[in-house]
Amino acid sequence: MILTKAQYEEIAQCLVSVPPTRQSLRKLKQRFPSQSQATLLSIFSQEYQKHIKRTHAKHHTPEAIENYYQRYLNGVGRNGAAPVLLELANEVDYAPSLMARIILERFLQGHEQTPPSKSVINNMLRDPSQIPDGVLANQVYQCIVNDCCYGPLVDCIKHAIGYEHEVLLRDLLLKKNLSFLDEDQLRAKGYDKTPDFILQVPVVMLCPLAVEGHIIHWIESKASFGDECSHHAYLHGQFWSYWNRFGPGLVIYWYGFIQELDCNRERGILLKASFPTDIVTLCHSTA
């Protein structure tokens, strides 16, 4: 789904006034019925993550942490079965999984001789049964399963979706009888920063690919929507590096992108929202 910048901003503006819940996502689908749910979910997640980054610092002051912890203690003291942490996170407009992390760290600091390591915290968030307090374990679990944008459950889902689309792209390349090296093969050859697929060039025949008249040597799969913020980060962190090493390439944003961002075609980076159906193999002898 390719959106104009104006269409994207209309969706993003709509998200400003809604909480990051599944109910809000359903309302968003009703408001923009022509957009796919996958595209809306990706935009929904990205916009909320921007909001969290902007407000992150205020939730991590010593005063805020102590205030949240005391409110948690008072809440579970009245009713340990109530979703105290989840309601607190929603009230202060902070991601439930991140609120759970704050409270868990504060709890462990008060009960352990040494500050908890990051790995210990991460393991407890992935498996709340490891938390040495049954009430807190249940509260953390409620936050994890009700968080649409953050937390170990969301991370697993995103990883699985990303891998699924890489497998889909691999299958499409194979169906086209295209020779390629994947990321693992390239790393084995010593490359430290690689796209998902490099299109192999045979020794005798030079066979680059052309998409809409643009030659490509590599393809990168992104199981997300290409908004301005994420695309610019990818350009400077990945795509231009690939271009410097391997030449022009193709980026597939499977959930769409902002149309105006596809402005680097002549410089060697092409954007698509699906696998191209008009690939042409250009072959000529080097002899």
Side-chain angles (χ1 to χ4, degrees):
M1 185 67 67
I2 301 175
L3 306 180
T4 65
K5 188 174 182 180
Q7 289 174 317
Y8 175 82
E9 289 178 347
E10 183 183 3
I11 295 173
Q13 187 60 38
C14 183
L15 291 172
V16 172
S17 59
V18 301
T21 63
R22 293 177 178 84
Q23 291 78 11
S24 295
L25 183 59
R26 283 194 286 270
K27 292 178 181 177
L28 195 65
K29 179 59 178 173
Q30 294 171 356
R31 173 71 175 79
F32 301 98
S34 63
Q35 310 299 337
S36 74
Q37 182 161 326
T39 294
L40 291 175
L41 176 58
S42 184
I43 295 173
F44 180 86
S45 176
Q46 289 169 335
E47 287 298 313
Y48 185 64
Q49 288 172 19
K50 294 174 192 175
H51 167 72
I52 291 297
K53 289 177 181 177
R54 289 193 299 267
T55 61
H56 176 81
K58 76 175 185 179
H59 297 290
H60 284 262
T61 65
E63 296 78 14
I65 292 172
E66 196 58 33
N67 174 262
Y68 296 157
Y69 189 59
Q70 292 305 318
R71 290 181 64 178
Y72 159 73
L73 292 177
N74 292 336
V76 295
R78 291 190 297 270
N79 183 357
V84 175
L85 267 189
L86 183 60
E87 291 177 352
L88 175 58
N90 291 334
E91 179 185 335
V92 302
D93 195 15
Y94 199 48
S97 293
L98 300 182
M99 177 61 73
R101 177 181 286 274
I102 287 176
I103 300 304
L104 178 58
E105 288 180 349
R106 175 61 181 83
F107 170 82
L108 293 175
Q109 287 170 2
H111 290 76
E112 303 290 339
Q113 295 286 340
T114 58
S117 67
K118 185 176 181 179
S119 63
V120 168
I121 295 293
N122 289 339
N123 286 337
M124 288 184 176
L125 290 172
R126 282 192 290 266
D127 180 11
S129 67
Q130 297 182 25
I131 298 173
D133 181 278
V135 172
L136 180 55
N138 183 54
Q139 294 286 326
V140 169
Y141 174 77
Q142 291 176 1
C143 287
I144 297 299
V145 298
N146 284 285
D147 197 323
C148 296
C149 302
Y150 281 92
L153 182 59
V154 171
D155 290 342
C156 286
I157 293 172
K158 286 182 177 179
H159 178 77
I161 292 173
Y163 181 71
E164 177 185 7
H165 283 82
E166 288 180 21
V167 171
L168 170 62
L169 179 53
R170 177 193 297 273
D171 289 344
L172 290 168
L173 291 171
L174 290 173
K175 286 179 181 178
K176 288 285 186 178
N177 294 317
L178 299 175
S179 180
F180 59 84
L181 293 175
D182 63 25
E183 191 174 10
D184 290 337
Q185 292 170 314
L186 289 165
R187 290 190 185 280
K189 289 177 174 288
Y191 292 102
D192 59 340
K193 187 177 287 189
T194 68
D196 291 317
F197 298 96
I198 293 288
L199 303 171
Q200 261 187 314
V201 179
V203 175
V204 179
M205 302 292 289
L206 182 62
C207 299
L209 297 179
V211 177
E212 298 177 4
H214 297 270
I215 293 174
I216 62 170
H217 294 282
W218 53 267
I219 304 179
E220 177 75 0
S221 170
K222 294 295 183 188
S224 62
F225 183 86
D227 68 350
E228 196 167 10
C229 182
S230 61
H231 181 65
H232 285 165
Y234 287 139
L235 272 175
H236 296 292
Q238 296 180 344
F239 303 158
W240 289 129
S241 175
Y242 302 160
W243 181 89
N244 284 329
R245 294 185 180 192
F246 307 111
L250 167 67
V251 179
I252 301 178
Y253 283 111
W254 293 101
Y255 298 149
F257 58 89
I258 296 175
Q259 185 177 37
E260 288 84 345
L261 297 177
D262 191 16
C263 58
N264 291 302
R265 290 188 169 207
E266 300 307 318
R267 297 179 64 189
I269 295 179
L270 177 71
L271 304 187
K272 297 285 284 183
S274 61
F275 187 75
T277 58
D278 56 350
I279 285 182
V280 177
T281 303
L282 306 176
C283 298
H284 63 273
S285 173
T286 60

